[in-house]
């Protein structure tokens, strides 16, 4: 057997050795997706079916692209640096650099990251004297990017009222500014590249003829424009309706060997969780229909998790309609039962997790292999607080610790100004946030005045004249009004500050401000919990000057939690993250927290079309992160807006079969409260794959070579993957795609070279 194929299971082998036809590989969680993709490329090159420059492989992250290149370099004696393997944005950038004149770009065009783009929009609004409160820069960036991801230039965007028409005008002005400055944002990279290929037929044909094999990773995460770009490169005449109308691209005979590129798309519709970014899971079904895909291979053997975890994941996801369908299994055995824990409140839930983590550590489990997953970033606050008090190091993956998040630091800055109006750091942070028309020139004048009289910025406000001085005086008046509320109980004071400062209203008007609002709500909860736990003062409370003692203590507490227990790179630290951030990762022990209706599934999902299906896919991703042990945690009560809310357990808990579950807390039964019997669990391992491919005694058979495409009258187009024997005894093993893998005697089978 070819050494490249030795460690593949049967479906992996079938996928890797497919003939040059379009294929859709449904790769379940932990099923060896990267191995299949990389080995497919190595197989095509090593068997002479394509040269390295004829491969185009697209991933979604630079990390995945680098991993593929590293594996390829270990498999083949070739230089992989020049291969076209990378992210959508990386490959589009490479193509635009090579054809910048045709794309209408300067040779040294620059790329704007998200921060640069927002700064560019702010400059535009200032130049055009547009109210940035009515058209917030961040929200305008989201609008522009969303239009580009749909392939829409300003002229094609529909506007139904004056506000919408103004947004389209700003989009057009932003495009003109970027073109004038020779810069492109991330969304523009893909759209400009698509338009270049769409309108330049000779260039399009050149790349269609060059790339004979197009391979796509995480296909379920592609958006409308990404799929259209892939179809152009594949030579497809099928379109998705992107304006303006493209030049007709030559299609292929998709019932046989394609005249264009062979599309090899790998993905998992059950792990499509990025609809909020524009990902369209429907692209998988569209691809299957539009390209007449007959090679649909399911990778269902999981190499990550034990059987009970996979059985739970299968049981949950089967409740989603319109799946392409697959069922994960493993040879690793059933493993431990899934542990379910019910708490009274989120504080109890966090304390349970802390005690369980300590017990796991005593048993020799590394903290770095324990993950705490949650649906919303705001949930991390209670967990972080419990970990802080227990002295357990932790790392927030893919995000900031609660008290380090920008919206929380803004709110704390206002609270600090109540405590001390001369706090220049807090003053500078929020003097113009939310925006109140205080520009850079006014702040420079204020800094000069403060320096001249040796005072704080706040104290120097009366010395600033003009319109800037009036706006600064209004901010000083806001601080006075905030300080007048300093007698309120801490929880009410925080709520008052969020409303009066305009922070709540600001994030309420942002398109993606819901998560920031949830974090601000959690700050109110944190204040209430702090007073309840610390017991520093009563309703009337002690006062330190004009400042309540509990506010001073709370600000000190926030500063300490933000700076303490930071885990270094080499520390053995717990991993905290949202489920979205956890995709692609795996851990020995996983806690899924907050499994309550309205939280997970999120209440917003019930109002959105197919929102619940996406939440269920998110739960499926969460469950399949666990290798050995899985905890499902929920609480009867949880604080929201400083008020206690009573919750129902998540419907996802009901979807886990009872025989897989071990309850760690009493559960209501027919005879009152009882503890589930852990011995009632089924430990039957899933059936394993036992077939062993034959080893070839010869690398040739009957004049054919391994890797050669052949045609059979009954089975159609195939590719030879093994050969043995010689003369009249020669046999070859051929992968016929949808017809499967067949051993054929050359003296009998009438094979022809394709």
């Amino acid at each position: 057997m070819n050494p490249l194929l030795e460690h593949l299971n049967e479906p992996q082998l079938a996928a890797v050795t497919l003939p040059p036809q379009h294929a859709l590989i449904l790769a379940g969680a932990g099923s060896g997706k990267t191995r299949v993709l990389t080995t497919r490329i190595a197989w095509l090159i090593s068997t002479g079916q394509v040269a390295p420059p004829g491969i185009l492989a697209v991933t979604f992250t630079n990390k995945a692209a680098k991993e593929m290149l590293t594996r390829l370099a270990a498999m083949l004696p070739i230089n992989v640096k020049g291969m076209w393997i990378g992210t959508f944005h990386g490959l589009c950038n490479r193509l635009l650099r090579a054809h910048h004149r045709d794309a209408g770009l300067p040779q040294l065009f620059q790329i704007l990251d998200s921060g640069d783009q927002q700064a560019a929009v702010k400059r535009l609004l200032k130049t055009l004297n547009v109210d940035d409160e009515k058209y917030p820069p961040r929200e305008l960036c989201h609008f522009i990017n969303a239009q580009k991801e749909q392939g829409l230039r300003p002229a094609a965007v529909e506007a139904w009222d004056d506000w919408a028409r103004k947004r389209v005008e700003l989009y057009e002005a932003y495009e003109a500014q970027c073109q004038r400055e020779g810069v492109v944002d991330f969304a523009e990279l893909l759209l400009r590249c698509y338009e270049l290929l769409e309108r330049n037929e000779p260039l399009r044909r050149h790349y269609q003829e060059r790339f004979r094999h197009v391979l796509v990773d995480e296909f379920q995460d592609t958006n409308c424009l990404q799929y259209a770009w892939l179809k152009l490169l594949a030579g497809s005449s099928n379109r998705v309706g992107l304006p303006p109308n493209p030049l007709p691209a030559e299609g292929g005979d998709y019932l046989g060997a394609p005249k264009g590129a062979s599309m090899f798309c790998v993905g998992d519709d059950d792990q499509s969780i990025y609809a909020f970014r524009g990902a369209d899971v429907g692209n998988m079904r569209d691809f299957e229909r539009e390209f007449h895909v007959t090679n649909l291979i399911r990778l269902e053997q999981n190499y990550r998790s034990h059987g009970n975890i996979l059985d739970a994941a299968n049981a949950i996801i089967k409740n989603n309609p319109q799946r392409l369908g697959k069922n994960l299994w493993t040879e690793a055995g059933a493993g431990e039962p899934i542990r379910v824990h019910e708490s009274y409140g989120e504080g109890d839930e966090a304390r349970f997790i802390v005690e369980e983590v300590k017990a796991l550590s005593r048993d020799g489990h590394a903290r770095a292999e324990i993950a705490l997953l949650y649906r919303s970033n705001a949930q991390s606050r209670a967990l972080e607080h419990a970990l802080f008090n227990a002295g357990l190091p932790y790392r927030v993956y893919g995000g900031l610790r609660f008290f380090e998040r920008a919206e929380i630091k803004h709110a704390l800055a206002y609270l600090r100004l109540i405590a001390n109006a001369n706090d220049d750091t807090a003053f500078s942070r929020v003097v113009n946030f939310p925006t109140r028309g205080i520009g850079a020139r006014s702040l420079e004048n204020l800094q000069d005045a403060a320096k001249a009289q040796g005072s704080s910025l706040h104290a120097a406000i009366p010395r600033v004249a003009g319109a800037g001085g009036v706006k600064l005086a209004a901010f000083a008046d806001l601080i006075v009004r905030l300080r007048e509320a300093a007698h309120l109980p801490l929880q009410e004071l925080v709520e008052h500050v969020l409303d009066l400062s305009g922070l709540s209203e600001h994030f309420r008007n942002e398109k993606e401000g819901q998560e920031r609002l949830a974090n601000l709500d959690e700050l109110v909860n944190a204040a209430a919990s702090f007073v309840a736990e610390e017991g520093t003062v009563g309703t009337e409370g002690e006062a330190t000057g004009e400042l309540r003692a509990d506010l001073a203590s709370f600000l000190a507490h926030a500063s300490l939690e933000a700076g303490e227990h930071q885990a270094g790179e080499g520390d053995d630290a717990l991993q905290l993250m949202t489920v979205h951030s956890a995709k692609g990762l795996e851990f020995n022990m996983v806690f899924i927290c907050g499994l309550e209706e309205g939280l997970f599934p999120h209440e917003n999902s019930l109002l959105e079309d197919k929102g619940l299906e996406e939440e269920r896919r998110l739960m499926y991703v969460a469950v399949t992160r666990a290798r050995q042990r899985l905890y499902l945690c929920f609480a009867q009560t949880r604080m929201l807006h400083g008020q206690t809310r009573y919750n129902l357990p998540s419907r996802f808990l009901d979807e886990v079969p009872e025989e897989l579950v071990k309850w760690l807390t009493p559960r209501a039964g027919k005879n009152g409260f009882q503890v589930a019997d852990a011995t009632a669990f089924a430990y039957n391992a899933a059936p394993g794959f036992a077939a062993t491919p034959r080893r070839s005694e010869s690398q040739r058979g009957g004049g054919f070579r391994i890797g050669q495409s052949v045609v059979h009258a009954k089975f159609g187009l195939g590719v030879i993957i093994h050969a043995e024997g010689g003369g009249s005894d020669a046999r070859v093993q051929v992968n016929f795609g949808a017809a499967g893998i067949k051993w054929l005697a050359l003296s009998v089978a009438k094979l022809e070279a394709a």
Side-chain angles (χ1 to χ4, degrees):
M1 178 185 287
N2 187 319
L4 291 172
L5 310 178
E6 286 182 351
H7 302 293
L8 301 177
N9 62 35
E10 187 175 16
Q12 290 173 338
L13 177 65
V16 166
T17 60
L18 276 171
Q21 291 177 328
H22 302 305
L24 179 58
I25 313 301
L26 285 182
S31 63
K33 166 178 65 73
T34 304
R35 172 189 287 187
V36 167
L37 265 172
T38 311
T39 309
R40 169 70 171 174
I41 296 172
W43 160 256
L44 291 170
I45 295 172
S46 67
T47 55
Q49 298 181 64
V50 66
I55 296 279
L56 178 77
V58 191
T59 69
F60 269 84
T61 66
N62 288 314
K63 179 182 177 183
K66 289 177 181 176
E67 183 177 355
M68 287 180 66
L69 288 168
T70 300
R71 291 194 188 190
L72 272 176
M75 290 178 173
L76 299 175
I78 62 172
N79 185 352
V80 299
K81 288 186 177 179
M83 293 186 68
W84 285 68
I85 297 177
T87 63
F88 279 99
H89 293 123
L91 294 173
C92 286
N93 173 58
R94 183 172 175 179
L95 200 147
L96 290 174
R97 296 284 178 191
H99 306 284
H100 62 91
R101 288 191 183 89
D102 294 323
L105 291 170
Q107 183 176 6
L108 300 177
F109 68 85
Q110 299 299 304
I111 300 173
L112 302 176
D113 62 21
S114 56
D116 295 332
Q117 184 187 22
Q118 194 166 334
V121 168
K122 286 181 180 178
R123 282 192 293 106
L124 176 72
L125 296 178
K126 186 173 182 180
T127 301
L128 299 177
N129 294 317
V130 174
D131 184 358
D132 59 5
E133 291 188 1
K134 188 173 182 180
Y135 298 94
R138 181 184 175 91
E139 192 277 335
L140 190 56
C141 286
H142 286 301
F143 168 74
I144 291 170
N145 293 338
Q147 305 315 306
K148 290 184 179 183
E149 288 169 1
Q150 291 295 317
L152 300 175
R153 292 297 184 187
V157 179
E158 294 182 349
W160 303 101
D161 54 31
D162 291 341
W163 179 77
R165 279 189 286 273
K166 184 63 176 179
R167 288 210 304 179
V168 175
E169 289 176 15
L170 292 172
Y171 176 16
E172 188 172 18
Y174 168 77
E175 279 202 324
Q177 174 180 289
C178 289
Q179 188 66 28
R180 186 169 59 250
E181 297 176 1
V183 297
V184 296
D185 54 47
F186 284 135
E188 181 70 19
L189 277 174
L190 189 57
L191 180 55
R192 186 72 66 106
C193 188
Y194 172 83
E195 291 172 341
L196 172 65
L197 294 172
E198 175 196 61
R199 296 167 182 169
N200 191 323
E201 185 175 2
L203 190 65
R204 182 175 70 247
R205 286 186 179 276
H206 164 74
Y207 282 105
Q208 287 173 349
E209 292 170 2
R210 171 177 180 165
F211 298 127
R212 307 311 300 161
H213 292 270
V214 176
L215 301 95
V216 189
D217 189 15
E218 303 286 9
F219 188 63
Q220 78 280 353
D221 292 335
T222 54
N223 62 29
C224 173
L225 183 57
Q226 288 164 341
Y227 181 41
W229 182 79
L230 289 167
K231 293 206 292 184
L232 274 183
L233 286 171
S236 167
S237 59
N238 296 303
R239 295 183 58 251
V240 290
L242 289 178
N245 291 328
L247 295 171
E250 288 289 330
D253 178 11
Y254 299 116
L255 298 179
K259 295 176 183 177
S262 297
M263 290 272 284
F264 186 89
C265 298
V266 181
D268 183 0
D269 56 331
D270 291 334
Q271 294 190 74
S272 180
I273 59 173
Y274 296 120
F276 66 96
R277 294 183 189 168
D280 185 358
V281 68
N283 286 345
M284 299 187 78
R285 287 191 174 276
D286 290 344
F287 171 64
E288 187 181 14
R289 183 185 71 254
E290 294 172 358
F291 284 78
H292 305 285
V293 174
T294 56
N295 297 308
L296 194 154
I297 297 176
R298 292 172 170 83
L299 305 183
E300 298 175 303
Q301 183 175 358
N302 178 282
Y303 295 93
R304 174 190 300 160
S305 307
H306 285 150
N308 284 335
I309 294 170
L310 297 180
D311 289 346
N314 290 331
I316 291 169
I317 200 64
K318 75 177 183 181
N319 292 287
N320 268 0
Q322 299 180 337
R323 296 170 59 225
L324 291 170
K326 64 183 177 313
N327 206 58
L328 296 179
W329 62 274
T330 181
E331 291 182 332
E336 301 180 17
I338 295 167
R339 291 160 167 80
V340 179
H341 185 272
E342 180 179 11
S343 304
Y344 175 71
E346 71 264 37
D348 301 308
E349 177 187 67
R351 283 187 287 273
F352 158 73
I353 292 172
V354 165
E355 292 306 314
E356 199 69 14
V357 166
K358 287 180 178 178
L360 290 170
S361 297
R362 288 193 297 269
D363 291 340
H365 296 286
R367 284 190 292 263
E369 285 297 337
I370 304 174
L372 278 54
L373 308 184
Y374 35 82
R375 174 64 180 84
S376 168
N377 261 314
Q379 289 174 255
S380 78
R381 200 275 312 169
L383 296 170
E384 288 186 61
H385 181 61
L387 294 170
F388 173 83
N389 288 340
L392 290 174
Y394 64 91
R395 183 179 294 110
V396 179
Y397 183 93
L400 296 171
R401 291 163 174 263
F402 180 77
F403 285 108
E404 292 173 345
R405 293 166 189 160
E407 60 275 16
I408 300 302
K409 292 179 78 69
H410 288 321
L412 292 174
Y414 280 107
L415 291 170
R416 284 166 57 185
L417 289 175
I418 293 176
N420 178 13
N422 295 319
D423 183 336
D424 281 356
T425 301
F427 184 96
S428 298
R429 184 176 190 92
V430 295
V431 64
N432 198 40
F433 192 92
T435 53
R436 45 181 61 90
I438 300 174
R441 179 62 60 85
S442 297
L443 290 176
E444 288 175 9
N445 293 338
L446 179 62
Q447 289 166 354
D448 291 342
K451 184 176 181 181
Q453 72 179 40
S455 69
S456 68
L457 295 174
H458 176 262
I461 287 177
R463 297 177 65 88
V464 180
V470 173
K471 291 177 180 177
L472 285 166
F475 180 66
D477 181 62
L478 172 62
I479 295 175
V480 171
R481 284 183 287 148
L482 291 174
R483 289 176 64 85
E484 288 173 350
H487 64 283
L488 292 173
L490 183 60
Q491 173 188 329
E492 294 180 27
L493 175 61
V494 174
E495 288 180 304
H496 181 73
V497 165
L498 295 179
D499 289 337
L500 193 59
S501 67
L503 283 175
S504 293
E505 185 66 21
H506 172 79
F507 291 118
R508 195 173 292 119
N509 291 331
E510 274 200 352
K511 182 179 179 181
E512 295 188 358
Q514 290 303 310
E515 185 170 304
R516 296 184 185 274
L517 276 175
N519 286 336
L520 292 178
D521 288 341
E522 188 59 30
L523 183 65
V524 178
N525 298 341
S529 298
F530 177 79
V531 172
E533 292 176 15
E534 299 297 324
T536 51
V537 286
T539 310
E540 298 301 324
E542 301 175 15
T544 306
E546 298 180 9
L547 176 67
R548 290 174 54 89
D550 53 5
L551 175 57
S553 300
F554 181 64
L555 290 172
H557 160 78
S559 297
L560 288 171
E561 285 213 7
E564 291 295 323
H565 295 292
Q566 285 282 10
E569 286 300 316
D571 290 346
D572 183 24
L574 284 167
Q575 308 295 304
L576 274 66
M577 66 195 75
T578 64
V579 181
H580 281 102
S581 297
K583 188 171 181 290
L585 304 176
E586 56 188 74
F587 305 90
N588 289 341
M589 314 286 165
V590 169
F591 293 80
I592 304 177
C593 315
L595 281 169
E596 300 134 34
E597 286 292 301
L599 188 57
F600 197 3
H602 197 278
E603 56 192 355
N604 291 346
S605 69
L606 304 178
L607 307 175
E608 300 170 357
D609 182 39
K610 298 183 179 179
L612 183 58
E613 293 175 31
E614 177 120 345
E615 290 290 301
R616 187 172 282 111
R617 292 195 292 268
L618 198 58
M619 180 64 180
Y620 176 82
V621 168
V623 169
T624 54
R625 297 312 93 193
R627 296 191 193 105
Q628 301 169 9
R629 185 180 295 185
L630 177 64
Y631 294 84
L632 306 179
C633 305
F634 67 100
Q636 297 173 7
T637 64
R638 198 170 293 269
M639 292 188 72
L640 183 67
H641 307 292
Q643 302 296 319
T644 299
R645 186 171 76 174
Y646 294 85
N647 305 307
L648 292 173
S650 169
R651 68 190 69 194
F652 300 147
L653 289 166
D654 293 333
E655 294 175 358
V656 178
E658 189 67 37
E659 65 269 17
L660 303 178
V661 174
K662 174 183 179 180
W663 283 82
L664 302 181
T665 45
R667 188 185 182 204
K670 293 181 179 179
N671 300 317
F673 281 95
Q674 59 187 19
V675 179
D677 182 6
T679 62
F681 289 83
Y683 285 93
N684 297 323
F689 168 62
T692 303
R694 297 171 184 260
R695 291 189 174 274
S696 61
E697 299 171 3
S698 167
Q699 287 299 300
R700 300 184 62 81
F704 291 99
R705 61 176 175 79
I706 292 177
Q708 182 176 358
S709 295
V710 293
V711 176
H712 186 273
K714 178 179 179 181
F715 303 124
L717 182 69
V719 62
I720 298 174
I721 60 176
H722 300 310
E724 65 179 20
S728 60
D729 294 325
R731 302 197 315 158
V732 291
Q733 189 179 32
V734 185
N735 186 346
F736 288 105
I741 297 175
K742 313 288 184 183
W743 276 100
L744 301 174
L746 291 178
S747 60
V748 178
K750 296 180 180 180
L751 285 180
E752 296 180 3

